[in-house]
Amino acid sequence: MNPVNADMHCHSTVSDGWLTPTEVVRRAVSNGVDLLALTDHDETGGLDEAATAAAGSGLRLLPGVEISVSWHGDTVHVVGLGIDPGCSELLEGLRTLRAGRDERARRISNELDRVGIHDAFEGACRFARNPALVSRAHFARHIVSTGLMADVQTVFQYYLAKGKPGYVEHEWAALADAVRWIRAAGGVAVIAHPGRYRLAGGELEALLEEFVALGGEGVEVVSGCSLEGEVERIATLARRYGLLASRASDFHGPDESPADIGGCENLPPDLEPVWTRFATASGSRNAKKP
Ligand code: AMP
Ligand code: MN
Ligand code: MN
Ligand code: MN
C-alpha cells in the first residue's frame, strides 16, 4: 500500500501564500493529497474557507497555524496541527503577534529607504491580501516586481535575511507561549523547517530539548526546503528526542516554492508520522506515491 500523502504545512493569501485557501485545497486535491494542514503565519482566518472547499472532496483538512517565535535572539517557527480555531487563548495570542507586524513592516521600509529602495511599505502592501499580515515575503515580491532583483531568494540574500540592510530585530512569541497556545487549542506543536535555522553547534539540540520539556511533540523531518543530507540529520534528532515526524511542503506558490503541495519525499519508514495523532476510523484515500 502506498503511504498516505500528508502535507502538514502550507500557506494561503491569508498570510504570504499566493493562492486563496480554496485554491490551495483544490491544488492539494488535484495533486492527490489525502491529508492537508493549512498553516498560515500567526493567523487562522483561512481555515473556514479551506474547510468549505475541502468538504466532499475526499481530502481531509487539519486546521493549523505557523507561529513566529523568538528564541535566544533567533526566529524559529512552530506549527500547530489539529488546533481548535475557536480557542480564545490561541486567538488572543495570535492577535497580539499580528499587532506587531505593521510597525515592523514600517521599520523594514525605513531601513530599505536608507539603501535606496523607496516606498517599500506601500509596495509590500500591494502584495499582501491580508493587511494585518505583511511579511518579508511581500517585501521580497515587491522588490522583484521593480526589476531590482531576479527572484525572492536573491532579495533575502541581499536585503532581508538577518544581518542584511532591510532586516530589523523583532520580538515574536516566547517558545513556551507558542506551545501553550497550541496545546490549549488541543493541537500538536511541531518545530518547522529545523534545517533552515542558522543555529550554532548544539543549539538545535538545545531548542528541541526545551521544546519537548514544554510539551512540544513533533519536528518537520521532511520539509520543502530540505537540503542534501538534511532529512537523515533531522531524523536522527527525531529519534533521539522521541519526536513525531512531520512532512511539510511549506508551499507558498507555484513559481516560488521548491516543493508543490504534497510533493515532498516520504518520511523515513521507522519514524512515527505526526498524523497518526489524527487518525480516524474512516481512514482516507490512498495516495499516488509522490
Ligand atoms: P516574516 O514572518 O515576515 O519574517 O517572513 C518570513 C517569510 O519570508 C517566510 O515564511 C518565507 O515565506 C519568507 N522567507 C524567509 N526566508 C526566505 C528565503 N531565504 N527565501 C525565500 N523566502 C524566504
Ligand atoms: Mn511565509
Ligand atoms: Mn516558516
Ligand atoms: Mn511556512
Side-chain angles (χ1 to χ4, degrees), residues 60-108:
R60 198 171 149 223
L61 185 79
L62 272 184
V65 67
E66 181 176 18
I67 303 182
S68 313
V69 164
S70 292
W71 186 77
H72 298 286
D74 285 298
T75 300
V76 301
H77 287 172
V78 177
V79 162
L81 297 175
I83 50 163
D84 167 8
C87 171
S88 54
E89 190 173 348
L90 173 67
L91 288 177
E92 179 54 22
L94 297 179
R95 198 191 58 73
T96 52
L97 258 189
R98 287 196 301 275
R101 276 195 179 259
D102 186 74
E103 190 254 345
R104 170 189 184 248
R106 290 174 197 277
R107 284 192 291 134
I108 291 174

Side-chain angles (χ1 to χ4, degrees), residues 9-11 16 39 41 66 77 193 196 250 252:
H9 183 158
C10 67
H11 296 273
D16 56 7
T39 56
H41 295 286
E66 181 176 18
H77 287 172
H193 43 67
R196 205 202 285 168
D250 201 4
H252 283 72

Side-chain angles (χ1 to χ4, degrees), residues 56-181:
S57 70
L59 174 132
R60 198 171 149 223
L61 185 79
L62 272 184
V65 67
E66 181 176 18
I67 303 182
S68 313
V69 164
S70 292
W71 186 77
H72 298 286
D74 285 298
T75 300
V76 301
H77 287 172
V78 177
V79 162
L81 297 175
I83 50 163
D84 167 8
C87 171
S88 54
E89 190 173 348
L90 173 67
L91 288 177
E92 179 54 22
L94 297 179
R95 198 191 58 73
T96 52
L97 258 189
R98 287 196 301 275
R101 276 195 179 259
D102 186 74
E103 190 254 345
R104 170 189 184 248
R106 290 174 197 277
R107 284 192 291 134
I108 291 174
S109 186
N110 289 342
E111 294 304 313
L112 290 172
D113 197 64
R114 292 151 62 101
V115 291
I117 298 176
H118 308 299
D119 303 320
F121 179 77
E122 291 74 14
C125 287
R126 280 196 286 278
F127 283 86
R129 294 281 83 85
N130 177 359
L133 213 299
V134 180
S135 116
R136 282 183 295 161
H138 299 119
F139 280 94
R141 290 167 194 165
H142 162 65
I143 291 169
V144 171
S145 77
T146 66
L148 183 64
M149 304 246 112
D151 54 54
V152 296
Q153 282 76 18
T154 317
V155 181
F156 272 89
Q157 195 183 327
Y158 283 92
Y159 290 104
L160 296 175
K162 189 167 182 167
K164 301 299 171 187
Y167 183 85
V168 302
E169 295 293 339
H170 186 74
E171 198 61 27
W172 301 108
L175 182 65
D177 289 338
V179 174
R180 188 165 44 77
W181 301 337

